[in-house]
Amino acid sequence: MNLKNEDYIAFTGDTGDFDLLLNDYKLSESALRFPNVNSILIPKKAEYNLRKYVSKAMLKTVDPDFDIAVEKCLVFLSNLASTYYTDSKWKPLNAMLLHEQSRNADNTFIYTKIIEVLTSGTSKGAFIEVDRSYQVGVQSKRFRFTEIYLKAGLVEYIIQNTEIIRTRNKMYYKQLHEAFQNPICSNLIAMYPKIDLPTSEELLLIGRQLVKEGRCTKKGKILTMRNKHKDHYWLDIKNRSFVEDNIKLFEFLTSRGFMIPSVGDISSGCRVVDSFTLMPAWIREQITVDGKKLIECDYSAFHPNIAIKLYDGSLSYITHELVAKEAKIDVKDVKKLHLSFFNMKWDDMRKSALFNYYAENESDMLARIYKDKNENGYKITSRKMFKAEVDVMTDVIQYLSSKNIFVLYIYDALLCEEKDFIIVTETMNRIILKHGIKTNIKSKNLNFQEEISTELDEVETLQQSKYFLNEIVNLYEVLPQLSFDVDDTMKIIYDIDNSRVEMRSLVRYINRQRTQQKYNDYDGVQINTSTICKLKSLIEN
């Protein structure tokens, strides 16, 4: 995603999200890591050129101590290290962050002097460029490495000055404290010690195989081996994602410790970003716990269903497949289009291949979206949708954490251990309905689900319980015994608005549904003779 041309935010868990850091000043800060606060990444030759070729008089305006002045300049440069892995090389840096990093004991503003040093550079050229088109109070000033240092690559530098390390330690503990206050972040911190990562050599072999299989990213980019070729080797460079580049990003995110998970600002709906949300999806799939890969649980067409909830649409349980069939668009294209459709500018929405489908089926909802964008700016939709997503995932993770179950958070998806799969999916399905968003977990990991389902069927056949009419029952246990599938189970619980009720309440509900089935406009669960018989067999006389 090129943020110069597309400044709307796309909903995705793929590598394009690394670019989102550039639009969120809280997340575009130099993310501190566990626990190497004295380790930074800087362009090769940056330290050498600062020490050898930059005017000592100019460096002394940063700090009277030459070595400290050099290290403060290097810390500034380290803020831009992430741009080696983004399409846009420009990155906004918040003034308060820069002041916090570089200030003296008397709280003097030093960072402006550092910028002067780095933009003046040496006889061979400047270290950085500055975009002067920023707006005070609206957008932070943006910076980027000059081509000389972009081509140089990164190298690790270990900070020596005690005061700089102390300052970074303070920032580290502040960020860590904030992480522990957030349910998603604290869950992630509890999950990190369990994780085993693949090696870069293993990933290279896996990447080669995925390339042979024709693997694409969630944005439809073709996974490709670079094989030392430069970008100009491919005519469709923007449609490719390179294995070697992905591995370098993985190393950047993990080799010196994981990022402390950080909460974004209101523009991102307070989404959480960490090393794993920013990691390429195919690499994330190789993570293991106790030698077993994690299982992904994510909602079906989550964001279209959020839009329907937020803007009072009439459809429910919408899927990419349904839209593809009715709109006569390839389902892969529908999935890609849904990533950004609702958060575009109105004129861009009208140009989308999805517009006619929603205009025909949700014209009133589109009118409400238009009004909201017109009155509050086009990004209001994405902000509301991000917020709804985060609210749902926060509730899910809080519940799981209370049961000592920890997961990897990937925006609208969770990665869990195999042993926790059932409770994670059940929790996600239950809580999404409490938020009034009508969708459920995708049917991924089919073989595993079928295996679990078979085991549960055998247990239920052997151990069908009997219930008294005044007994409080768990509908998650009872409804499968009546042969209701997951969708119908969640719909019944949503209708009753409780998962724990007296058995007689379930009997009354079933009777009402049976009666209402006689009407042509009935859209409830189907009740047949077999359902009634099974229900009777569960009631203790």
Side-chain angles (χ1 to χ4, degrees):
M1 180 175 68
N2 188 330
L3 293 178
K4 292 180 181 178
N5 301 322
E6 302 177 74
D7 60 346
Y8 58 81
I9 302 172
F11 293 110
T12 172
D14 220 314
T15 56
D17 281 300
F18 208 80
D19 289 289
L20 297 185
L21 294 175
L22 304 179
N23 275 357
D24 186 334
Y25 85 86
K26 287 188 71 177
L27 298 182
S28 65
E29 297 172 5
S30 177
L32 296 174
R33 296 162 181 270
F34 304 99
N36 300 322
V37 295
N38 59 339
S39 168
I40 59 176
L41 291 175
I42 59 171
K44 292 177 183 177
K45 296 188 177 180
E47 181 198 3
Y48 178 82
N49 289 344
L50 275 166
R51 291 184 181 279
K52 187 169 181 65
Y53 297 115
V54 172
S55 160
K56 286 183 171 54
M58 183 171 278
L59 281 169
K60 283 188 176 181
T61 64
V62 173
D63 196 282
D65 186 305
F66 175 75
D67 290 327
I68 294 175
V70 168
E71 288 202 331
K72 286 188 176 184
C73 290
L74 294 177
V75 168
F76 186 105
L77 291 174
S78 73
N79 293 320
L80 300 177
S82 64
T83 62
Y84 277 84
Y85 308 98
T86 57
D87 291 335
S88 172
K89 302 306 177 185
W90 289 103
K91 180 175 179 178
L93 295 177
N94 180 258
M96 292 311 299
L97 163 72
L98 298 176
H99 174 53
E100 185 73 18
Q101 285 181 339
S102 60
R103 67 182 179 179
N104 289 335
D106 61 0
N107 207 31
T108 305
F109 279 79
I110 301 297
Y111 76 90
T112 53
K113 302 296 184 183
I114 295 174
I115 293 171
E116 288 178 17
V117 170
L118 297 176
T119 51
S120 297
T122 69
S123 59
K124 295 183 178 180
F127 293 88
I128 62 170
E129 299 175 59
V130 183
D131 179 6
R132 306 286 180 181
S133 63
Y134 72 99
Q135 294 175 281
V136 177
V138 177
Q139 180 178 312
S140 299
K141 190 177 293 186
R142 300 195 308 161
F143 304 86
R144 73 175 177 187
F145 289 125
T146 55
E147 287 299 317
I148 298 171
Y149 292 99
L150 271 175
K151 292 178 180 178
L154 296 173
V155 64
E156 184 178 23
Y157 177 82
I158 304 299
I159 300 169
Q160 301 298 315
N161 180 257
T162 303
E163 286 305 313
I164 296 176
I165 293 173
R166 283 176 181 168
T167 296
R168 289 176 65 80
N169 263 319
K170 288 180 182 179
M171 296 173 69
Y172 165 85
Y173 286 118
K174 178 182 178 182
Q175 192 171 337
L176 186 59
H177 173 73
E178 290 174 353
F180 275 116
Q181 306 310 305
N182 180 278
I184 296 176
C185 294
S186 59
N187 153 82
L188 286 168
I189 293 171
M191 183 66 174
Y192 290 158
K194 297 182 173 187
I195 291 171
D196 293 315
L197 297 175
T199 65
S200 296
E201 292 76 16
E202 290 169 339
L203 288 175
L204 189 60
L205 293 174
I206 293 167
R208 288 185 188 279
Q209 183 58 39
L210 292 176
V211 169
K212 290 179 182 178
E213 295 171 4
R215 175 69 177 263
C216 292
T217 70
K218 290 184 178 180
K219 285 189 172 182
K221 291 189 176 184
I222 304 165
L223 196 61
T224 306
M225 294 300 301
R226 183 177 282 282
N227 293 325
K228 297 184 179 180
H229 292 299
K230 301 296 183 183
D231 285 356
H232 60 75
Y233 179 83
W234 291 273
L235 295 177
D236 59 346
I237 184 70
K238 291 184 178 180
N239 294 323
R240 294 182 179 272
S241 178
F242 296 100
V243 168
E244 296 93 330
D245 296 352
N246 288 177
I247 293 173
K248 287 179 182 177
L249 172 56
F250 163 77
E251 292 169 345
F252 174 79
L253 293 170
T254 63
S255 62
R256 297 174 304 122
F258 303 155
M259 291 168 53
I260 298 175
S262 300
V263 181
D265 61 17
I266 192 171
S267 66
S268 68
C270 300
R271 270 180 157 188
V272 171
V273 168
D274 75 339
S275 292
F276 298 95
T277 57
L278 301 177
M279 191 177 290
W282 71 270
I283 293 180
R284 196 166 52 229
E285 291 168 5
Q286 314 311 318
I287 294 169
T288 59
V289 171
D290 295 330
K292 296 180 179 179
K293 289 186 179 181
L294 301 177
I295 299 174
E296 183 174 344
C297 308
D298 65 338
Y299 292 111
S300 176
F302 193 16
H303 294 105
N305 284 294
I306 289 178
I308 289 167
K309 162 65 177 175
L310 291 176
Y311 292 96
D312 197 22
S314 59
L315 297 173
S316 60
Y317 295 98
I318 193 170
T319 65
H320 300 303
E321 291 75 16
L322 173 67
V323 175
K325 182 178 179 181
E326 295 192 13
K328 294 181 174 56
I329 305 172
D330 186 275
V331 69
K332 290 182 181 178
D333 293 330
V334 170
K335 289 179 180 179
K336 185 176 179 181
L337 291 166
H338 265 150
L339 294 175
S340 56
F341 175 69
F342 293 103
N343 20 328
M344 289 177 170
K345 294 178 180 178
W346 179 255
D347 287 344
D348 292 326
M349 286 181 68
R350 292 187 64 183
K351 296 173 186 176
S352 170
L354 292 178
F355 188 83
N356 286 341
Y357 170 81
Y358 284 101
E360 291 174 8
N361 294 280
E362 288 287 6
S363 57
D364 290 342
M365 181 183 81
L366 282 185
R368 285 185 279 272
I369 290 175
Y370 171 78
K371 184 175 184 293
D372 200 13
K373 287 179 180 287
N374 192 49
E375 293 177 355
N376 301 296
Y378 79 95
K379 292 184 180 180
I380 187 64
T381 311
S382 61
R383 288 174 183 170
K384 287 181 176 180
M385 292 171 72
F386 277 132
K387 178 65 166 57
E389 173 204 286
V390 171
D391 287 346
V392 169
M393 302 309 279
T394 298
D395 285 353
V396 170
I397 287 173
Q398 276 186 314
Y399 177 82
L400 293 174
S401 296
S402 73
K403 303 295 182 182
N404 288 319
I405 295 171
F406 304 104
V407 293
L408 277 186
Y409 157 91
I410 314 294
Y411 304 131
D412 61 352
L414 299 178
L415 297 182
C416 70
E417 295 179 63
E418 183 179 300
K419 66 181 178 62
D420 299 323
F421 174 75
I422 293 176
I423 189 170
V424 171
T425 54
E426 179 271 327
T427 302
M428 291 178 73
N429 279 332
R430 172 169 53 83
I431 287 178
I432 193 70
L433 290 182
K434 283 189 175 181
H435 283 259
I437 302 168
K438 295 184 179 180
T439 186
N440 48 41
I441 299 299
K442 293 177 186 176
S443 297
K444 284 191 175 183
N445 310 291
L446 290 178
N447 292 337
F448 179 68
Q449 290 192 38
E450 287 169 2
E451 180 183 328
I452 293 293
S453 177
T454 300
E455 291 176 1
L456 289 176
D457 286 345
E458 291 172 357
V459 171
E460 287 163 3
T461 301
L462 293 172
Q463 300 178 345
Q464 258 194 0
S465 303
K466 291 265 189 177
Y467 305 95
F468 292 103
L469 284 173
N470 64 349
E471 184 176 347
I472 301 295
V473 298
N474 184 343
L475 294 182
Y476 288 108
E477 296 175 357
V478 175
L479 294 176
Q481 296 181 56
L482 301 178
S483 298
F484 288 115
D485 63 17
V486 173
D487 287 348
D488 282 348
T489 295
M490 299 313 300
K491 189 167 187 179
I492 291 170
I493 292 171
Y494 179 77
D495 286 346
I496 295 177
D497 198 26
N498 202 330
S499 63
R500 301 185 71 85
V501 298
E502 283 190 354
M503 189 65 178
R504 63 164 48 91
S505 297
L506 177 59
V507 172
R508 289 170 182 163
Y509 174 85
I510 296 292
N511 285 335
R512 284 199 304 272
Q513 296 294 306
R514 181 75 163 168
T515 301
Q516 290 174 10
Q517 275 183 187
K518 298 176 183 178
Y519 300 99
N520 292 330
D521 60 350
Y522 177 74
D523 63 353
V525 297
Q526 293 299 311
I527 310 296
N528 53 36
T529 303
S530 175
T531 308
I532 300 299
C533 291
K534 288 178 180 178
L535 181 60
K536 288 180 178 179
S537 71
L538 293 180
I539 298 172
E540 188 74 59
N541 294 324

